[in-house]
């Protein structure tokens, strides 16, 4: 395999552990509706599936109308906006990986399904010290993963070839987006894997059980 020249990362569940703040928002929504605290592992497993999945779990809306779920999704996001910097941290090993990329002057950046109104402030607060060269959100391309448009924009702005670029994420939609963009793919098995899912079934080119394992590619 040729040397990788661009490392693109998903955000939630790959670079940042945002689950504690989503858990806070879910429980606030549950409490406001007379429900007891939810299950953290259930919330953690749903973060990469998006706010609609979290809202559906929070208020037991799995079989309700999309309109009802959307209403409470917006409600959940309003709560999340007020707490999104409380407990979010960088995953163990990520700091080392990003420092190595910067020290070796290897291109990298972030492509996320998180709306820019949330992603920009969180990235600045938690990852600003690493000076991410780019942050691409659905707002920028008008589509969400598994659509590859965000990754195609990443390749364009970094002047990178797909065959020499990798996308790393913790959900099968990340791998699907990477494949559609003809990039190398990496599964962040330490992230928010949905319950009863298995990263080995995603057919990614690489599987990283810990963030620090990404160093093995950089070293090569």
């Amino acid at each position: 395999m040729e040397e990788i020249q661009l490392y693109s990362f998903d955000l939630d569940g790959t670079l940042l552990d945002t689950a504690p703040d989503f858990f806070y928002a879910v429980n606030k929504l549950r409490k406001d509706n007379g429900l007891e605290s939810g299950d953290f592992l259930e919330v953690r497993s749903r973060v990469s599936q998006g706010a609609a999945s979290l809202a559906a779990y929070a208020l037991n809306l799995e079989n309700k109308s999309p309109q009802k779920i959307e209403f409470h999704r917006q409600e959940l996001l309003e709560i999340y906006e007020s707490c999104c910097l409380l407990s979010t941290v960088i995953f163990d090993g990520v700091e080392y990986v990003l420092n190595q990329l910067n020290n070796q002057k290897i291109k990298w950046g972030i492509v996320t399904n998180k709306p820019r109104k949330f992603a920009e402030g969180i990235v600045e607060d938690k990852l600003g010290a690493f000076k991410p060269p780019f942050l691409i959100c659905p707002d920028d391309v008008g589509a969400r993963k598994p659509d590859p448009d965000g990754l195609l924009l990443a390749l364009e702005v970094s002047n990178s070839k797909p065959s020499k670029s990798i996308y790393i994420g913790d959900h099968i939609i990340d791998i699907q987006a990477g494949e559609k963009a003809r990039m190398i793919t990496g599964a962040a098995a330490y992230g928010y894997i949905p319950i009863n899912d298995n990263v080995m079934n995603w057919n990614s080119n690489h599987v990283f059980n810990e963030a620090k394992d990404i160093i093995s590619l950089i070293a090569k």
Side-chain angles (χ1 to χ4, degrees), residues 143-163:
R144 294 166 54 85
K145 298 173 293 183
D147 189 286
D149 284 3
L151 291 175
L152 295 175
L153 179 58
L155 293 169
E156 180 183 337
V157 300
S158 64
N159 191 28
S160 302
K161 295 181 179 179
S163 63

Side-chain angles (χ1 to χ4, degrees), residues 7-214:
Y7 288 76
S8 290
F9 298 94
D10 175 44
L11 186 61
D12 298 62
T14 302
L15 294 179
L16 296 181
D17 186 3
T18 57
D21 287 332
F22 276 111
F23 186 54
Y24 177 94
V26 164
N27 280 337
K28 177 69 166 59
L29 185 58
R30 287 175 67 87
K31 182 178 179 181
D32 291 348
N33 285 271
L35 299 172
E36 296 182 355
S37 177
D39 179 74
F40 176 73
L41 292 181
E42 180 71 33
V43 170
R44 187 183 192 278
S45 75
R46 288 172 177 259
V47 170
S48 291
Q49 298 176 62
S53 177
L54 290 169
Y57 166 71
L59 299 180
N60 305 314
L61 302 175
E62 299 291 359
N63 298 314
K64 302 300 182 180
S65 70
Q67 293 82 4
K68 188 175 183 65
I69 293 175
E70 173 60 21
F71 175 83
H72 291 292
R73 184 186 77 89
Q74 294 292 342
E75 194 175 17
L76 177 70
L77 288 177
E78 288 179 12
I79 299 171
Y80 179 66
E81 186 172 13
S82 70
C83 69
C84 63
L85 296 177
L86 292 180
S87 302
T88 289
V89 295
I90 301 172
F91 274 110
D92 288 344
V94 166
E95 182 174 351
Y96 181 52
V97 169
L98 298 184
N99 278 331
Q100 287 297 310
L101 291 173
N102 283 336
N103 291 341
Q104 296 185 41
K105 295 180 170 53
I106 298 173
K107 295 181 287 189
W108 70 277
I110 301 167
V111 180
T112 177
N113 272 353
K114 206 179 196 77
R116 181 165 288 279
K117 67 176 291 188
F118 301 108
E120 200 161 56
I122 293 172
V123 168
E124 176 59 32
D125 187 82
K126 307 300 180 181
L127 297 168
F130 303 100
K131 302 186 184 307
F134 61 79
L135 168 65
I136 296 173
C137 302
D139 318 52
D140 304 312
V141 294
R144 294 166 54 85
K145 298 173 293 183
D147 189 286
D149 284 3
L151 291 175
L152 295 175
L153 179 58
L155 293 169
E156 180 183 337
V157 300
S158 64
N159 191 28
S160 302
K161 295 181 179 179
S163 63
K164 295 185 177 181
S165 305
I166 188 171
Y167 185 55
I168 301 171
D170 69 313
H171 196 279
I172 191 171
I173 63 170
D174 298 316
I175 307 307
Q176 292 169 341
E179 290 173 344
K180 290 176 182 177
R182 301 184 182 279
M183 296 171 68
I184 303 162
T185 57
Y190 56 87
Y192 304 148
I193 312 304
I195 293 174
N196 298 323
D197 201 351
N198 186 335
V199 297
M200 302 310 295
N201 295 330
W202 300 355
N203 297 318
S204 60
N205 299 112
H206 300 276
V207 175
F208 306 110
N209 292 314
E210 298 179 87
K212 67 179 182 180
D213 294 343
I214 300 168

